[in-house]
Amino acid sequence: MDATTAPHHIPPEMSQYGEENHIFEIMQNMLEQLLIHQPKDPILFMINHLQLDNDNVPKIVILGPPASGKTTIAMWLCKHLNSNLLTVENLIAKEFSSLAAAARKHYQINKRVPSMQLVRLIQDRVSEDDCVRRGWILDGIPETREQALMIQTVGITPRHVIVLSAPDTVLIERNLGKRIDPQTGEIYHTTFDWPSESEIQDRLIVPVGISELETAGKLLEYHRNIVRIFPSYPKILKVISADQPCVDVFYQALTYVQTNHRSNAPFTPRVLLCGPMGSGKSLQAALLAQKYSLVNVCCGQLLKEAVADKSKFGEVIQPFFEKDMAEYKLQEGGALGSLPCNAVPGTARMLLPDSLIMKVLSERLNQQDCIQKGWVLHGFPRDLDQALMMDSLGYKPNRVFFLNVPFDSVLERLTLRRTDPITGERYHLMYKPPPTTEIQDRLLQNPKDAEEHVKFKMDLFYRNAAELEEFYGQALTINGDQDPYTVFEYIESGIINPLPQKVP
Amino acid sequence: MEAGGSREREARNYLEKHRIMELLKYLTSVLLFIRPEKPREYLIAILEKLRIAKATGVAFPFFMDHSNITAMFDMMDSSKKGTISFVQYKEALKTLGLCPADEVLKDDGHAITLDKFKSEVNKRTQEICGRTKGKGSGSCQTAAEQPRLH
């Protein structure tokens, strides 16, 4: 407990628990709310906050120029996320509120609501029960920087801000085709979004203020204001182009709103790379280990090291590595016949029993440097049984990646590998060709890189891949058929960004 | 800018006054140590117990119970003299989160005994959890006394 005693070993279960249950985020949200409201009785406030459990409800702001489709997107998002829509119109339409009545009067005269009143209306609305439980979506508010700052001051902070953008000419043209359904309030368009039912078609009215001149005027004002709103929401803002079909805009908005932002929670990466032979697992693992100081655990390498070190495991493993297995098989048929192992028909070798591999792996993963720095594992597990075994022993990766490479690319990568027997230099006939024909003549190929062998290994992998993908539900699939640094960037972003939330 | 500065100061004062950071650290430590299936429910349960303890002055089930405090003291007192130095005492309080970094503890020249250490830890934990001043301090003392008798 002194500062003088050795560094304390934090059991890995603690960090796993913290990550899985998002403890850091829970505490951070609680602290935010405490600071915003500064209640006299913090403990009671904290109890109520925890009971509400509304850390993840939608809190979205949608901004954009007139005719960009804000209201349409906002309404669709509302329906999809089962949340509440707040617009200037429905805020001032509130009944039984003197504030709303005063705002209405002002709106009728000046066509806008003063910021103070608007913010007070928003504050009241957001503290209502349904907004607290299901979240809210603000459509077109804040209109100016002043409003943005006022909303922030009362403690209302959105988690996602979407800004729609499109060239002015497109918007002016679009606005001319705008039609409104007076009953539902939905917005339709003569060209892009015409309702199919003829009774709705008959109802539609032309809204006021959509002539070119008026739209241009509104656009000018919008551009003036939006530039000064951007700095209020630095990390949570996303600009989506509105110059594409409505459905595309909606899906982009939905995906964005459902992602969590990067959090400051402490995170020790425990990465699992899966993929067929030749997909680049070893290379990616080496790059990751180098950049993030993780421990690179290659299963095959680990076993070879055990044999080379002549450790107690090494001695048990060595017989499996012997070349001439035929004689061995005859001898050992009795003793080892009862062990669970993957016997491979057609080749003379027996593969190592799972339990043995698991023991060697456990020994490595339990070492202090793996626990503290995190690890990158590749080459294991290869099927569901091995995955279950690993899981039951408590080695749960927090990021799993599947590297997809088409068969032809794998063949290209592997069958063209050559080694120079004299210098030991490794070449690739396409990616790193030997410099002189003299060297090229004497190059040899590793029998493991022969086409037959590669095909066989790939089949083996794909037979088990479906089960593995199902087991690791949160795995990310990456296209491995690109240059190594691009693949590395995809893997990095997969590790750094929080895992995507499943759509409920 | 001025308004921003004063609100920040207000917020910091609020945190200090109610010892929020220590409370949150304590809650996080409990969660990571106990690792309950349902963290929210567990947190709510602890906070309810805290409320009750604060209102009625009943001894709060401390995270660091007395065997832990004794064990900690023994770890520091490697030569088994029965006392620890002032520096060790201050570091231990800081590690437990019971002593804000800028607090100045007076060194009364005597080494700290196990009893004094225990009573100080209890007193400070009570302060954080209960924050009872003035009329409540009587119940604080009784609450602190009860565990000592175990």
Side-chain angles (χ1 to χ4, degrees), chain A residues 141-257:
Chain A
I141 310 170
E143 296 152 340
T144 63
R145 182 170 171 75
E146 190 191 27
Q147 282 182 13
L149 289 175
M150 279 202 258
I151 294 182
Q152 201 178 325
T153 316
V154 297
I156 298 174
T157 41
R159 276 187 307 128
H160 296 94
V161 175
I162 297 179
V163 178
L164 299 172
S165 94
D168 282 357
T169 45
V170 171
L171 293 171
I172 295 184
E173 251 192 73
R174 251 198 228 177
N175 218 12
L176 288 175
K178 180 172 169 179
R179 301 284 180 270
I180 299 189
D181 178 351
Q183 270 186 20
T184 61
E186 292 220 13
I187 303 181
Y188 293 97
H189 196 278
T190 49
T191 324
F192 299 123
D193 192 15
W194 193 236
S196 40
E197 298 88 21
S198 57
E199 56 168 47
I200 304 186
Q201 286 173 16
D202 294 333
R203 283 208 297 260
L204 292 179
I205 55 169
V206 180
V208 267
I210 59 166
S211 73
E212 287 185 21
L213 220 50
E214 287 171 313
T215 314
K218 282 195 217 160
L219 276 171
L220 263 177
E221 200 184 327
Y222 167 78
H223 284 301
R224 227 183 325 145
N225 286 323
I226 194 70
V227 162
R228 303 190 58 231
I229 298 184
F230 274 5
S232 295
Y233 302 116
K235 293 189 196 156
I236 54 179
L237 191 117
K238 177 165 178 163
V239 178
I240 299 184
S241 161
D243 192 13
Q244 44 181 338
C246 243
V247 202
D248 291 351
V249 181
F250 174 62
Y251 277 113
Q252 282 186 26
L254 187 63
T255 323
Y256 176 58
V257 166

Side-chain angles (χ1 to χ4, degrees), chain A residues 264-458:
Chain A
N264 292 328
F267 179 63
T268 325
R270 294 186 301 275
V271 181
L272 179 61
L273 293 176
C274 295
M277 191 173 160
S279 52
K281 304 191 291 290
S282 310
L283 178 58
Q284 296 302 325
L287 288 172
L288 277 173
Q290 183 193 35
K291 184 162 179 184
Y292 295 102
S293 314
L294 304 175
V295 176
N296 185 353
V297 182
C298 171
C299 195
Q301 191 82 359
L302 216 58
L303 296 169
K304 288 184 200 155
E305 280 171 10
V307 173
D309 289 341
K310 295 202 194 332
S311 63
K312 57 179 166 53
F313 285 124
E315 284 168 13
V316 185
I317 297 173
Q318 189 163 23
F320 292 89
F321 276 62
E322 307 277 69
K323 285 199 186 126
D324 184 358
M325 292 301 292
E327 177 189 28
Y328 178 78
K329 256 186 110 164
L330 286 170
Q331 278 178 343
E332 294 294 314
L336 288 171
S338 51
L339 282 174
C341 50
N342 307 321
V344 177
T347 64
R349 267 180 20 171
M350 287 204 291
L351 295 177
L352 285 166
D354 287 352
S355 50
L356 199 51
I357 310 183
M358 204 58 239
K359 282 210 187 74
V360 180
L361 201 58
S362 306
E363 199 187 343
R364 184 64 181 98
L365 290 179
N366 283 338
Q367 288 179 9
Q368 194 54 29
D369 62 351
C370 272
I371 297 183
Q372 258 181 329
K373 295 197 274 183
W375 38 263
V376 181
L377 178 60
H378 56 109
F380 185 91
R382 294 203 188 164
D383 59 35
L384 191 58
D385 293 329
Q386 293 182 344
L388 285 169
M389 205 190 299
M390 201 168 95
D391 196 67
S392 67
L393 287 173
Y395 302 112
K396 299 186 201 202
N398 49 26
R399 292 289 187 270
V400 181
F401 295 98
F402 280 90
L403 292 167
N404 269 351
V405 189
F407 182 55
D408 295 327
S409 297
V410 172
L411 270 185
E412 187 186 285
R413 285 181 191 183
L414 294 181
T415 55
L416 299 179
R417 277 188 194 161
R418 298 283 185 272
T419 319
D420 183 351
I422 298 184
T423 61
E425 184 83 24
R426 297 177 68 178
Y427 295 100
H428 190 283
L429 293 179
M430 209 182 295
Y431 304 141
K432 189 181 164 199
T436 69
T437 41
E438 189 193 327
I439 299 182
Q440 188 169 3
D441 289 337
R442 63 179 190 232
L443 290 178
L444 297 175
Q445 187 185 35
N446 186 341
K448 282 201 193 156
D449 287 340
E451 191 170 322
E452 283 294 315
H453 188 91
V454 174
K455 237 189 240 185
F456 170 68
K457 285 282 187 188
M458 280 208 70

Side-chain angles (χ1 to χ4, degrees), chain B residues 105-135:
Chain B
L105 297 167
K106 57 177 198 353
D107 182 1
D108 57 0
H110 308 298
I112 319 287
T113 60
L114 175 59
D115 285 337
K116 177 145 190 304
F117 184 56
K118 256 198 213 171
S119 69
E120 193 65 31
V121 169
N122 283 340
K123 188 176 88 175
R124 282 164 183 270
T125 318
Q126 267 290 351
E127 260 179 45
I128 292 173
C129 297
R131 208 66 196 150
T132 49
K133 280 192 211 170
K135 67 175 169 108

